Amino acid sequence: MPDGAVPVLDVRGLKTVFRTRGGEVHAVNSVSFHLQPGELLGVVGESGSGKSVTMMSLIGLLPSPPAEVRAGEVLLDGRDLLKIGADELRDVRGAKIGFVFQDPMTSLNPVFTVGSQIMEPLTRHMGLTKAQARDRAAELLALVGIPDAKKRLKDYPHQFSGGMRQRVMIAIALACDPEVLIADEPTTALDVTIQAQIIELVKDLRQKLGMAIVWITHDLGVIAGIADRVMVMYGGQVVEQGPVRQLFSDPRHPYTRALLKTIPSLHGERAARLQAIEGQPPILNAAPVACPFRARCAHAHDRCQTENPQRRAVDGLAVGQGHDVACHWSPGGAA
Amino acid sequence: MSPALVQVRDLKMHFPIYTGLLRRRTGAVKAVDGVSFDIRAGETLGLVGESGCGKSTVGRALLRLYEPTAGSVVIGGEDIATLSPAALRAKRPMMQMVFQDPQASLNPRMTVQAIISEPLDEQSDWDRDRKQTRVLELMDQVGLNRRFANRYPHEFSGGQRQRIGIARALALSPKFIVCDEPIAALDVSIQAQVVNLLEDLQDNLGLTYLFISHDLSMVRHIADRVAVMYLGRIAELSPRDALYARPLHPYAEALLSAVPEPDPSREGARQRIILQGDVPSPANPPKGCNFCTRCPKVFDRCRVEKPDLVEVEPGRLVACHLYPAITHPSPDQPGGTQATKPTQQGEVQ
Ligand SMILES: Nc1ncnc2c1ncn2[C@@H]1O[C@H](COP(=O)(O)OP(=O)(O)OP(=O)(O)O)[C@@H](O)[C@H]1O
Ligand SMILES: Nc1ncnc2c1ncn2[C@@H]1O[C@H](COP(=O)(O)OP(=O)(O)OP(=O)(O)O)[C@@H](O)[C@H]1O
Ligand code: SF4
Ligand SMILES: [Mg+2]
Ligand SMILES: [Mg+2]
């Protein structure tokens, strides 16, 4: 990453808690990360580790109650999104940050045409006339690879296949030329051959449009192919973060290491038995006072039971700038 | 080589489509349209392919949870597809199914003990003590703590719920289990636990599996041979190592090339075959080869003539005009006994 480059998005110490009848759920615990212009940050982690809640917290998409963002700063071009009003935030969502969710069927409105859904942000946030918006919408549909784009504006979501609906979602997210695109498991519901189409599309759009992207997935293979940097979450925390090649070739956190070992490979040597990660993910009913991975960790020792490890650099660069890990243990070294 | 426990021949499962006010039958979804394969005793046959290609329908028709439209399914010497209801009932204990969604397939109002015991209640005349003993034995076998016998499904994690489903499937000591996406709903970190369990059970109990999945890496791990389905038919059926090293059918090749791998240096250099367009509807499959609308290697013959699934290399069955059948018969290969004979009926249209 270029030294001194100003991040487009800078998140510091974000904490989000859900207040439920069964007590508090500490879903996001002091998460910090940043995004450089044009960069693709991959976010991986177990189900329930806080990936979605982190991103929804950034842009005020969580209903409150039960959600409560307790601490942190979310700086977009230097402005703290946690401090601005609801109207201003809606404009940011429409114009500066685009969103693509996992299930394209639930995020497209079935009763409006695809065209009107792409045109809506254009007329609302970009001040285009209807005719201008229609032209731009057709352009966007063509950009995401939908043939006969102009004609298809009049179609409803159910007339598109799953892969095409996801392309429509991407078109909507890109409508206002955002600086940041947040994609939450955008290909998880799709078949691998359709996923490959969408990934090629995003790679291509990145080159053309140069926006920064946060891509959430549980698929380490997808991350390996598209990310510049990777952030690994576990139990509501960032447990490891680093440039993609370093993270895959020299993973430092016991969870990342176990995760990489547990998935069978498509080409390498075939293990007689899979390496399982025994146990279950943690219950997040209190602020963490110990390492969230300790119960499943092969390297846990006394300190892990009493002290939540802080992120520390593993390559001499400042935390967040290079490769860092939140763990009391070091591979090959003393604790 | 072990003999085939399961022999499927030209299996078809068409779901009628009714339209209009009079609900007239206007067509059919050809979910499975002429599928043949063998599963040897003690082997795991992987069944892969994209959403909607007919994997679950094959699995269900095999156990006669659907009434097949045509074809035969011989399991342990008897044709399941034509058995009388009484004979089918007597046969049921030997063949079971494990489902994708452990949450949806378990009755939330029943305790774990009652769920696992259900097949015993229906199929055996055992007394309560004997059933109870068997339930606890099954819980040990799948790694569930006996103390949880009186808990309800919602009190368990996804991986544990899948163990409950597996214990229930094992209750009647089956020989053959259809595993329909048994790990798809589970978190990556939990998947290996369940797959290891399935493998241990196979070793200890001599089980035969049809393992349905869209996870090609996991299928490479668990399966001995793999059938790749596309739009209701088998495109290729090959031994695992041969398929992953060198897929023959253009669809199998594209499918494998699309799977992302967790290795940045490899991913950077990878040549992907990006298929254009979408899978056609099984209500209206293309003429000729069903892959001809998306195949990068399509040529004229493909659009008029349906390729048969034939043995093109020893032990490898492929349905593609690019691969002529080998002529010498190799009787010890499944499907090979009729290597020169098509195992999917070809039709010139
Ligand atoms: N409305 C809510 N009320 C209470 N807890 C919630 C709510 N929404 C999310 N959570 C909890 O917050 C935690 C983080 O959830 P989140 O959706 O961010 O996980 P995730 O990492 O995106 O997982 P997945 O991979 O399954 O999408 C989980 O423990 C979840 O149960
Ligand atoms: N009961 C039914 N009635 C009508 N059509 C059906 C029925 N069951 C399945 N189909 C159709 O048959 C085709 C094959 O479905 P099937 O569920 O076997 O696919 P699959 O390969 O298991 O897909 P997935 O990976 O999504 O589970 C699909 O087009 C489906 O819509
Ligand atoms: S801090 Fe301890 S328990 Fe946590 S991952 Fe590191 S070694 Fe394991
Ligand atoms: Mg999520
Ligand atoms: Mg299915």
Side-chain angles (χ1 to χ4, degrees), chain B residues 40-310:
Chain B
R40 298 174 198 141
E43 121 174 297
T44 299
L45 178 71
L47 184 58
V48 302
E50 292 174 278
S51 186
C53 72
K55 305 181 294 297
S56 297
T57 306
V58 166
R60 291 171 157 270
L62 246 54
L63 301 189
R64 205 160 141 198
L65 301 175
Y66 289 145
E67 293 295 329
T69 310
S72 65
V73 178
V74 176
I75 301 184
E78 279 178 294
D79 186 358
I80 301 296
T82 54
L83 280 185
S84 70
L88 184 63
R89 197 178 133 82
K91 191 89 184 169
R92 282 252 172 257
M94 81 164 294
M95 40 189 213
Q96 294 291 323
M97 187 139 177
V98 173
F99 297 92
Q100 166 167 355
D101 188 352
Q103 175 83 40
S105 60
L106 303 176
N107 185 333
R109 279 180 294 276
M110 284 166 72
T111 63
V112 168
Q113 147 121 17
I115 289 170
I116 300 176
S117 177
E118 209 178 4
L120 298 170
D121 300 338
E122 284 168 10
Q123 291 275 350
S124 76
D125 47 13
W126 295 3
D127 62 29
R128 262 185 70 189
D129 278 0
R130 189 160 172 210
K131 283 194 275 194
Q132 163 102 15
T133 310
R134 175 74 178 141
V135 167
L136 295 179
E137 183 186 294
L138 287 162
M139 289 184 73
D140 293 346
Q141 235 166 28
V142 301
L144 282 170
N145 196 317
R146 287 175 169 226
R147 283 182 307 152
F148 298 159
N150 290 313
R151 295 200 182 172
Y152 292 87
H154 74 262
E155 297 173 79
F156 291 89
S157 68
Q160 288 173 320
R161 279 195 288 257
Q162 198 51 288
R163 289 172 197 267
I164 300 171
I166 293 170
R168 179 178 57 185
L170 291 175
L172 299 167
S173 308
K175 286 264 154 266
F176 173 51
I177 301 186
V178 172
C179 305
D180 190 357
E181 307 261 13
I183 54 165
L186 304 177
D187 200 80
V188 185
S189 81
I190 310 294
Q191 291 181 352
Q193 296 179 11
V194 172
V195 167
N196 286 345
L197 171 65
L198 287 171
E199 289 188 311
D200 291 345
L201 292 169
Q202 181 166 45
D203 290 347
N204 297 335
L205 306 173
L207 299 171
T208 302
Y209 292 141
L210 177 67
F211 189 88
I212 299 174
S213 178
H214 59 260
D215 181 341
L216 285 131
S217 310
M218 196 56 92
V219 167
R220 173 171 182 244
H221 175 76
I222 199 168
D224 301 302
R225 291 184 306 141
V226 182
V228 180
M229 270 187 90
Y230 184 81
L231 203 60
R233 291 171 70 87
I234 293 177
E236 174 163 358
L237 195 166
S238 285
R240 174 232 310 143
D241 290 341
L243 177 76
Y244 284 82
R246 191 171 52 93
L248 297 179
H249 194 285
Y251 176 65
E253 194 185 0
L255 187 66
L256 279 167
S257 96
V259 179
E261 279 182 279
D263 179 349
S265 42
R266 226 191 143 104
E267 278 296 305
R270 211 121 150 243
Q271 284 300 319
R272 270 219 166 86
I273 302 166
I274 304 286
L275 291 179
Q276 301 303 315
D278 296 307
V279 183
S281 156
N284 190 16
K287 273 194 172 159
C289 173
N290 59 356
F291 189 51
C292 73
T293 53
R294 298 173 83 202
C295 181
K297 297 180 178 164
V298 64
F299 57 108
D300 289 348
R301 185 176 169 199
C302 313
R303 299 201 180 84
V304 285
E305 189 184 336
K306 213 178 260 311
D308 296 321
L309 184 71
V310 291

Side-chain angles (χ1 to χ4, degrees), chain A residues 138-154:
Chain A
E139 239 174 76
L140 284 160
L141 268 194
L143 181 71
V144 297
I146 291 188
D148 260 345
K150 204 159 199 146
K151 264 198 225 145
R152 303 234 47 184
L153 290 177
K154 296 191 203 76

